[in-house]
């Protein structure tokens, strides 16, 4: 397997004229693995599969005077049922199949859930041409393929697989009945299209043969062809003499020769299931063995693909910028990707950055070199979208393959702001009671941990909402989860307030009511308090981002990727947990703003805590990594194309 797959993949991509879509984009090109979805080949009824010229054709019209009508007594000819093919199998009435079994027998998909086509996206040329994977390789060291079974799409795929294997169990039972009764001639003669079905077993064996041949060396192909000769297997099935146990044993031995040792247990289980099913004449148990067999094949292909990702990871990362530039140049030149609005967005961000610097005093103005100003404008523009109260409709088109990472950064940043608001409400209540926090740093750390643990309710291990949560769509600011857990968060704040004020351990309504009202108001409205923390967060994030960007500019993409493993300089070395800094003077005996539910309030200047500084440095490193790669691709193509002639005098690196 050579490295020419990279150039070949580019050629394949450049020949595609479809629109660009990121992961999960509706109506776009998608796959079965790594968060992607492929539209199944049997779904021919989707309107997107209809040629546009056919869709624009006007409906058929009858010549004048010949249109049939009810008055003339004309009726449409009865619809004729399709005639069964020569391979059609009669459904024996003696089996007494339920209506559900018959429906699945007719309606289930024709191909197994795992086919050579569905696995083809795990081939090396497809891996090398997968732009999403190339981008993800820069940000995730543990990147690997896995079946996409999440969400509605995953539910649909599982349902299709269940129906397919259910129909296969029924089909095996029908073949066994015909073999035992020697194919009742009278039943065959009376068979009609309503009592026959098109068998799936031949296609399953053909698929099995094709997939196994892609997973074993060529020297084993004659053995595969000999043992999986479809006409011979079907003849043996019709006569009831197929030795499924011997076939399963042979396949297990073949697969165990070439798969990882960790898959051997699966192969043995497959043989046991088929053996038990054959001995007990239970088609469902035989089908369980077939399911295990196809699961082994999929796992083997995934193992190969993930090994290739690890092997070619360095190549994928180092080739990111030239690959993307070549890819987008082709798309733009053919008019398949429109980025002028993104250029206008950048120019507007650059103008805002220039105006902002002009309005600042010399001591507070940006100290960046003039050569870094264009890159700094990019970071300021994207930071504004990450920090704004309402989620942006979308990020610029040039961030198409980074949109998921930007939404995640936005969610983290907004959670930081929300936690600061919650801490502010707590301190305001304490100071209103003329109390003093004796162990403020420890209290703050515990407070953030407790509030964030409440936010993790309804989320999976990867921080994503569990199915059923946020069903109306993603709330990227994080407000949906905050509102959903409003009562619990307010109760936790009230508990901290009671402990700080030496009140009764049982939280009274007079404590929780104003706290809950204030929390709901400030989280649901773009208040002055939000603007204060937004502006403070913006300065901190931009400072951290530009600091990291200056370090990354002379580095290669691989070096930048490896640098992300370095722990930031802050003393906190734990996981990235949104934390909030204090906003009130700890020695103050009075609140700096009202605690009422409608007060906007103002916050006083405060020192950032070590946990928050750690989080901000992590955000800055992530945003700088993303921005530097983006800048190297798009600065010469779009943002700075009018100044390419002056690039030699600019210290900004494009490559």
């Amino acid at each position: 397997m050579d490295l020419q797959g990279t150039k070949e993949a580019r050629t394949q991509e450049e020949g595609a004229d479809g629109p660009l879509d990121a992961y999960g984009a509706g109506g776009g090109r998608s796959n079965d693995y790594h968060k992607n979805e492929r539209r199944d080949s049997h779904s021919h009824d989707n309107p997107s599969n209809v040629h546009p010229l056919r869709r624009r054709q006007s409906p058929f019209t009858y010549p004048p005077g010949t249109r049939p009508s009810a008055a003339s007594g004309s009726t449409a000819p009865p619809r004729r049922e399709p005639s069964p093919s020569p391979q059609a199998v009669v459904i024996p009435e003696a089996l007494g199949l339920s209506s559900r079994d018959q429906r699945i027998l007719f309606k289930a998909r024709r191909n197994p859930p795992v086919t050579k086509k569905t696995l083809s996206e795990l081939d090396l040329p497809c891996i090398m041409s997968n732009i999403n994977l190339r981008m993800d390789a820069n940000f995730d060291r543990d990147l690997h393929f896995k079946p996409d079974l999440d969400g509605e799409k995953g539910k649909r795929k599982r349902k299709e697989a269940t129906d397919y294997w259910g129909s296969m169990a029924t089909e095996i039972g029908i073949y066994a009945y015909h073999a035992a009764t020697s194919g009742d001639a009278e039943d065959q003669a009376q068979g009609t299209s309503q009592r026959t079905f098109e068998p799936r077993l031949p296609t399953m064996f053909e698929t099995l043969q094709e997939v196994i041949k892609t997973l074993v060396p060529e020297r084993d192909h004659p053995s595969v062809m000999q043992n999986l000769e479809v006409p011979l297997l079907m003849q043996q099935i019709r006569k009831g003499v197929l030795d499924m146990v011997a076939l399963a044993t042979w396949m297990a031995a073949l697969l165990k020769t070439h798969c990882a040792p960790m898959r051997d247990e699966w192969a043995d289980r497959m043989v046991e299931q088929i053996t038990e099913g054959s001995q007990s004449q239970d088609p469902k148990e035989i089908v369980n063995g077939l399911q295990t067999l196809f699961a082994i094949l999929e796992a083997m292909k995934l193992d190969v693909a993930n090994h290739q990702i690890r092997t070619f990871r360095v190549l994928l990362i180092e080739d990111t910028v030239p690959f993307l530039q070549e890819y987008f140049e082709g798309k733009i030149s053919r008019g398949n990707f429109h980025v002028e609005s993104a250029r206008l967005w950048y120019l507007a961000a650059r103008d805002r950055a220039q105006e902002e610097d002009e309005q600042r005093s010399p001591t507070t103005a940006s100290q960046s070199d003039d050569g870094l100003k264009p890159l700094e404008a990019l970071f300021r523009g994207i930071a504004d979208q990450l920090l704004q109260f309402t989620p942006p409709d979308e990020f610029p088109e040039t961030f198409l393959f980074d949109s998921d990472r930007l939404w995640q950064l936005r969610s983290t940043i907004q959670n930081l702001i929300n936690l600061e608001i919650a801490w502010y409400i707590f301190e305001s209540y304490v100071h209103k009671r003329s109390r003093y926090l004796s162990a403020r740093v420890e209290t703050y750390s515990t407070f953030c941990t407790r509030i964030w643990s409440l936010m993790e309710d309804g989320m999976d291990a990867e921080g994503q909402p569990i199915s059923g949560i946020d069903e109306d769509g993603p709330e990227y600011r994080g407000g949906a989860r905050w509102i959903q857990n409003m009562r619990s968060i307010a109760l936790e704040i009230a508990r901290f307030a009671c402990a700080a004020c030496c009140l009764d351990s049982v939280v009274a309504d007079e404590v929780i009511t104003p706290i809950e009202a204030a929390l709901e108001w400030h989280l649901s409205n773009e208040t002055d308090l939000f603007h204060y923390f937004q502006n403070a967060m913006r300065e901190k994030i931009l400072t951290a981002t530009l600091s990291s960007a200056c370090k990354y500019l002379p580095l290669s993409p691989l070096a930048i990727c490896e640098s992300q493993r370095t722990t930031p300089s802050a003393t906190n070395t734990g996981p990235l947990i949104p934390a909030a800094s204090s906003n009130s003077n700890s020695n103050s005996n009075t609140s700096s703003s009202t605690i009422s539910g409608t007060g906007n309030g103002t916050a006083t200047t405060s020192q950032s805590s070590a946990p928050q500084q750690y989080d901000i440095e992590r955000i800055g490193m992530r945003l700088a990594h993303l921005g530097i790669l983006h800048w190297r691709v798009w600065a010469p193509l779009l943002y700075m194309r009018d100044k390419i002639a002056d690039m030699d005098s600019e210290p900004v690196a494009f490559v």
Side-chain angles (χ1 to χ4, degrees), residues 588-634:
S588 174
N589 291 327
T590 59
S591 174
S592 61
S593 74
T594 177
I595 196 66
S596 66
T598 57
N600 291 331
T602 57
T604 59
T605 305
S606 64
Q607 298 292 329
S608 296
S609 66
Q612 187 211 38
Q613 185 60 31
Y614 170 78
D615 293 339
I616 290 176
E617 287 191 28
R618 287 281 296 274
I619 293 171
M621 291 172 60
R622 189 78 165 180
L623 187 56
H625 185 185
L626 186 153
I628 290 295
L629 292 182
H630 182 87
W631 183 254
R632 289 177 178 176
V633 173
W634 288 106

Side-chain angles (χ1 to χ4, degrees), residues 138-153:
N138 284 271
F139 297 92
D140 187 356
R141 288 185 55 84
D142 298 323
L143 184 67
H144 62 278
F145 282 109
K146 62 180 180 180
D148 185 8
L149 299 176
D150 300 326
E152 289 299 321
K153 176 188 59 180

Side-chain angles (χ1 to χ4, degrees), residues 60-68:
F60 175 79
T61 56
Y62 289 92
T66 63
R67 185 180 181 89

Side-chain angles (χ1 to χ4, degrees), residues 485-498:
N485 295 288
M486 182 76 67
R487 182 73 178 179
S488 299
I489 296 172
L491 179 60
E492 197 64 39
I493 297 174
R495 286 174 178 168
F496 272 84
C498 289

